[in-house]
């Protein structure tokens, strides 16, 4: 099947966590004007759209993912007028703007919830999920993704309400048609304003199993991709499909076997999904480096499930919920840092799908050496830390685990320069700046032709200039190789092959018969100043792209 072209298939996305992007008013917190100030930087990088994480009115228990007014901008970030200017200026540069749509839950300060909790008879009572307790305890044993019971007792009406995340994030009741009506009206309000689409938060959680459901192996199963969710998603799709927008669902619990149902070209609910298979977000245990074979399998399963026009992928290695990829999957060691960040870039940017770069990833930002739990802001990490202490884990051990897994690793302020506050702010920001800003920052990387930043630029340009890298087929080579990730892209006579050593050791391989790279043109390599000696031997984290055209 021919793949239908679309702007959102061709563009490269960039995720902005506004709180940590650029502070222009000196309060230590990034803002909308900070994004406006860096649009040229993004344009120069080759970015086609930005996804801005929530900037709506919010008490910030979960940094904006607890919304108290969907149609207002949080004053810390700016005003609606500034938002409108941002939208206009981005559009003038040819950059589209995607908003975060958080409709699994609201803040407990949202007027709907304040009404809902006021009385059992309130008109808004059924906007949320309320239930009676059992034997002096919560309605059932379901646990929240952020730790503890998923139920919170509310004395005023002597019932419990359900929250998949923090207790200040009560879940909306999608079984109530009025909830859907209000949510859809709000979506259309933003679309009428001219935004170009949505990243749809936690959407696989909107359907809950019957309350009698007992949890088994997966404690979140009763509210993760539960049968019946399709009815809600079809209605949501019908709102989206009226427009030429980008929609990407965050879909914890959706496997490659369901990819077509969720994002199939004809009847899918979204254009693409953030799948969790190659990166497990809620895994709170220590990371053990990268299992290259499993990593390739996970990515390939999604590539194949949506191949030949069946659907489309969202590609990512980082976001604001997971530690920095170079620290988890590459290496922070000076000798490997640069090459590994570039190798990781090639392991997602040229797959079939729409790539999303997370702020700072393009300069190889790393995890933060947190010294104490007091330096951590994220609500889930704090809960998890104190839970560990309660179960007897020693504080140093708990901190060590946190250091590797905390979401705040990727939320430290963007490192624009080597200055005291990294060119992010004029004062100590809301979250500490990584001390390595001296050696990892945009300004220095702009000046260095071999920097990670310039490598990202080159990959993006290569993708833009070659349709085979956008619409071409994907083939995995050497699936069982424990170090190398080798994949091909092909559109008609145009062929590319990407070869990446994802390990710290030298790697060699007999390349498949149809990959005669000796005769091909090397178009990109992360080895600087060193000629490739032997085509089948790869230095640690070496990565190359070859191009071949049948004349
Ligand atoms: C996923 C978001 O990415 C994360 O930051 C947030 O905490 C949860 N959804 C809850 O909204």
């Amino acid at each position: 099947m021919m793949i239908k072209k679309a702007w959102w298939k061709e563009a490269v996305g960039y995720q902005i966590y506004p709180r940590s992007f650029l502070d222009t008013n000196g309060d230590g917190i990034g803002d909308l004007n900070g994004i406006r100030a860096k649009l040229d930087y993004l344009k120069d990088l080759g970015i086609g759209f930005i996804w801005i994480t929530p900037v709506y009115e919010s008490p910030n228990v979960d940094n904006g993912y607890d919304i108290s007014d969907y149609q207002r901008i949080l004053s810390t970030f700016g005003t609606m007028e500034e938002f409108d200017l941002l939208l206009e200026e981005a559009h003038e540069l040819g950059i589209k703007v995607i908003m975060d749509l958080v409709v699994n839950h609201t803040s407990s300060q949202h007027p709907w919830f304040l009404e809902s909790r006021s009385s059992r008879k309130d008109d808004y009572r059924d906007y949320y999920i309320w239930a009676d307790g059992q034997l002096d305890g919560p309605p059932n044993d379901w646990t929240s993704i952020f730790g503890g019971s998923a139920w919170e007792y509310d004395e005023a009406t002597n019932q419990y309400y359900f929250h998949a995340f923090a207790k200040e994030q009560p879940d909306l009741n999608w079984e109530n048609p009025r909830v859907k009506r209000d949510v859809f009206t709000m979506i259309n309000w933003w679309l009428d304003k001219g935004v170009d689409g949505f990243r749809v938060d936690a959407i696989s959680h909107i359907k809950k199993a019957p309350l009698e459901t007992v949890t088994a192996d997966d404690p979140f199963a009763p509210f993760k991709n539960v049968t019946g969710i399709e009815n809600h998603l079809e209605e949501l799709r019908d709102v989206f499909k009226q427009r030429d927008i980008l929609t990407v669902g965050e879909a914890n619990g959706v496997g490659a076997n369901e990819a077509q149902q969720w994002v199939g070209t004809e009847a899918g609910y979204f254009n693409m999904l953030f799948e969790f298979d190659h990166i497990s977000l809620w895994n709170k245990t220590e990371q053990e480096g990268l299992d290259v074979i499993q990593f390739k399998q996970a990515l390939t399963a999604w590539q194949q499930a949506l191949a030949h026009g069946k659907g489309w992928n969202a590609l990512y290695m980082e976001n604001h919920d997971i530690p920095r990829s170079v620290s988890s999957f590459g290496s922070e060691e000076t000798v490997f840092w640069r090459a590994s960040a570039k190798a990781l870039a090639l392991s997602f940017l040229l797959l079939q799908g729409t790539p999303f770069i997370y702020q700072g990833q393009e300069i190889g930002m790393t995890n933060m050496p947190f010294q104490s739990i007091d330096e951590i802001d994220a609500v889930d990490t704090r809960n998890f830390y104190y839970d560990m202490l309660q179960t007897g884990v020693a504080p140093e051990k708990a901190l060590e685990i946190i250091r590797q897994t905390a979401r705040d690793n990727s939320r430290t302020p963007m490192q624009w320069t080597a200055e005291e506050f990294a060119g992010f702010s004029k004062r100590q920001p809301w979250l500490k700046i990584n001390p390595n800003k001296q050696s990892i920052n945009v300004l220095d990387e702009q000046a260095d032709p071999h920097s990670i930043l310039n490598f990202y630029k080159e990959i993006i340009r290569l993708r833009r200039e070659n349709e085979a890298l956008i619409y071409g087929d994907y083939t995995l080579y050497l699936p069982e190789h424990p170090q190398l990730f080798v994949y091909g892209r092909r559109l008609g006579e145009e062929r590319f092959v990407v070869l990446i050593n994802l390990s710290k050791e030298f790697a060699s391989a007999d390349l498949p018969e149809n990959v005669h790279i000796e005769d091909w043109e090397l178009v990109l390599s992360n080895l600087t100043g060193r000629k490739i000696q032997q085509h089948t031997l790869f230095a640690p984290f070496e990565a190359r792209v070859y191009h071949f055209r049948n004349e």
Side-chain angles (χ1 to χ4, degrees):
M1 184 159 105
M2 267 299 285
I3 298 183
K4 230 176 111 195
K5 293 189 175 175
W7 68 264
W8 45 264
K9 293 180 181 169
E10 297 180 9
V12 171
Y14 187 92
Q15 184 195 344
I16 296 184
Y17 196 70
R19 183 165 284 273
S20 299
F21 192 59
L22 180 69
D23 168 24
T24 58
N25 65 353
D27 63 357
I29 298 175
D31 41 53
L32 292 176
N33 285 341
I35 304 176
R36 290 172 64 200
K38 292 295 180 185
L39 287 173
D40 287 334
Y41 166 78
L42 297 172
K43 181 74 195 166
D44 184 53
L45 182 56
I47 295 305
F49 68 92
I50 50 176
W51 149 31
I52 309 176
T53 63
V55 286
Y56 318 98
E57 192 76 53
S58 164
N60 285 314
V61 170
D62 187 22
N63 281 351
Y65 282 96
D66 46 324
I67 298 171
S68 52
D69 189 334
Y70 286 105
Q71 279 150 279
R72 285 177 75 94
I73 299 289
L74 181 72
S75 58
T76 323
F77 289 136
T79 62
M80 193 56 88
E81 288 66 42
E82 285 161 357
F83 177 83
D84 291 341
L85 287 172
L86 165 60
L87 193 60
E88 200 181 308
E89 289 161 6
H91 284 168
E92 269 164 24
L93 287 174
I95 297 177
K96 304 217 187 238
V97 178
I98 307 301
M99 300 297 278
D100 217 308
L101 182 66
V102 188
V103 288
N104 173 68
H105 47 269
T106 68
S107 158
S108 52
Q109 297 306 310
H110 193 289
W112 295 341
F113 189 73
L114 295 178
E115 279 261 352
S116 178
R117 81 185 324 175
S118 67
S119 144
R120 288 196 190 202
K121 296 211 178 68
D122 189 86
D123 213 27
Y124 282 84
R125 185 66 169 179
D126 288 341
Y127 268 53
Y128 295 86
I129 302 163
W130 292 95
D132 291 328
Q134 296 282 335
L135 308 167
D136 279 349
N140 59 30
D141 69 344
W142 299 358
T143 52
S144 141
I145 294 172
F146 284 178
S149 170
W151 296 95
E152 182 70 9
Y153 179 64
D154 200 51
E155 218 179 318
T157 55
N158 188 28
Q159 274 195 315
Y160 289 78
Y161 66 85
F162 177 81
H163 58 93
F165 297 92
K167 65 180 189 323
E168 296 85 354
Q169 294 168 296
D171 280 43
L172 283 165
N173 177 13
W174 275 70
E175 306 310 318
N176 179 350
R178 285 176 59 209
V179 166
K180 285 193 255 201
R181 186 202 60 198
D182 285 356
V183 164
F184 298 161
T185 304
M186 178 272 287
I187 291 175
N188 278 318
W189 185 85
W190 279 101
L191 291 173
D192 289 345
K193 216 177 205 324
V195 305
D196 304 289
F198 296 104
R199 175 268 188 184
V200 190
D201 184 71
I203 199 65
S204 53
H205 299 299
I206 59 175
K207 178 84 186 173
K208 290 27 167 185
L211 298 192
E212 308 75 67
T213 311
V214 178
T215 57
D217 302 346
D218 181 350
F220 314 132
F223 50 95
K224 195 166 64 181
N225 195 11
V226 169
T227 311
I229 195 169
E230 56 283 357
N231 303 323
H232 301 321
L233 294 174
E234 281 163 11
E235 287 183 58
L236 184 60
R237 174 193 62 202
D238 292 344
V239 178
F240 289 153
K241 79 170 184 222
Q242 311 296 326
R243 328 245 185 166
D244 180 22
I245 54 172
L246 185 161
T247 57
V248 51
E250 190 204 22
N252 193 357
V254 180
N257 57 331
E258 293 167 296
Q260 261 204 75
Q261 181 195 337
W262 280 67
V263 290
T265 302
E266 295 309 326
Y269 314 132
F270 304 98
N271 297 148
M272 55 189 109
L273 285 185
F274 286 131
E275 47 83 14
F276 281 57
D277 290 342
H278 75 294
I279 273 164
S280 53
L281 168 57
W282 308 114
N283 178 9
K284 298 277 190 282
T285 51
E286 286 165 273
Q287 309 232 343
E288 283 155 9
L290 183 62
D291 180 328
V292 175
I293 296 177
Q294 272 188 22
F295 178 75
K296 295 189 285 192
Q297 273 169 359
L299 289 170
T300 303
W302 280 86
Q303 292 284 304
Q304 287 170 347
L306 299 171
H308 313 305
K310 290 200 285 268
W312 198 251
N313 275 290
L315 311 167
Y316 74 103
M317 289 290 284
E318 287 191 17
N319 62 37
H320 63 295
D321 289 329
I322 44 182
R324 290 290 184 180
S325 62
V326 71
S327 303
S328 307
F329 300 150
S331 173
E332 289 182 11
E333 288 169 65
T334 319
V335 279
F336 299 132
W337 164 73
R338 182 185 295 233
S340 71
K342 292 180 179 179
L344 289 170
L346 278 178
S347 65
F348 81 106
L349 278 167
L350 297 182
L351 298 176
Q352 192 185 68
T354 300
F356 288 72
I357 297 164
Y358 176 64
Q359 66 186 43
Q361 182 180 0
E362 77 278 22
I363 55 168
M365 277 178 66
T366 66
N367 280 354
M368 174 78 182
F370 292 111
Q371 300 302 314
S372 129
I373 189 68
D374 299 334
E375 291 178 355
I376 301 268
D377 168 86
V379 56
D380 63 316
T381 309
R382 296 183 64 88
N383 291 347
F384 180 53
Y385 175 84
Y386 291 112
D387 283 354
M388 279 195 284
L389 295 195
Q390 288 238 310
T391 57
V393 178
E396 311 77 63
K397 180 72 189 163
L399 191 65
E400 195 186 310
I401 294 176
I402 293 303
R403 238 183 246 131
Q404 290 178 51
T405 56
R407 301 200 283 177
D408 283 356
N409 276 308
S410 56
R411 297 179 178 185
T412 60
M414 181 72 183
Q415 293 162 208
W416 296 104
T417 69
E419 289 165 285
E420 187 180 6
F421 301 119
F424 165 76
S425 176
K426 296 211 164 13
R427 52 162 277 192
Q428 187 64 48
W430 71 281
L431 200 63
K432 263 191 159 170
I433 290 168
N434 196 312
N436 65 19
K437 66 174 191 312
Q438 311 290 356
S439 51
I440 304 180
N441 64 69
V442 171
L443 194 65
D444 289 352
E445 294 203 23
Q446 279 173 327
D448 173 1
H450 303 304
S451 66
I452 298 166
L453 179 62
N454 280 315
F455 195 69
Y456 265 83
K457 258 198 225 180
E458 278 182 69
I459 305 174
I460 295 171
R461 186 182 42 76
L462 192 68
R463 183 182 183 275
R464 190 173 51 237
E465 290 172 358
N466 291 281
E467 283 212 330
L469 293 173
I470 300 172
Y471 295 111
D473 287 346
Y474 162 92
T475 310
L476 177 71
Y477 298 107
L478 311 178
E480 300 302 330
H481 199 292
Q483 296 164 280
L484 293 178
F485 183 13
V486 182
Y487 64 90
R489 300 294 310 275
R490 177 178 196 152
L491 188 69
E493 302 297 293
E494 294 282 342
R495 290 166 68 187
F496 285 85
V497 63
V498 183
L499 304 103
I500 312 158
N501 179 1
L502 283 171
S503 79
K504 279 185 191 171
E505 281 81 43
F506 275 84
S508 66
D510 290 332
L511 296 175
E513 283 284 281
N514 52 350
V515 183
H516 304 290
I517 53 176
E518 294 85 346
D519 310 327
W520 293 29
E521 185 197 355
L522 179 71
V523 287
L524 210 56
S525 156
N526 68 349
L527 282 193
T528 46
R530 195 166 86 73
K531 245 182 102 126
I532 291 159
Q533 304 292 328
Q534 213 192 318
H535 290 287
T536 53
L537 184 68
F538 292 81
F541 293 111
E542 182 176 349
R544 310 178 204 152
V545 183
Y546 290 89
H547 177 223
F548 180 73
R549 182 185 290 117
N550 266 354
E551 300 299 347

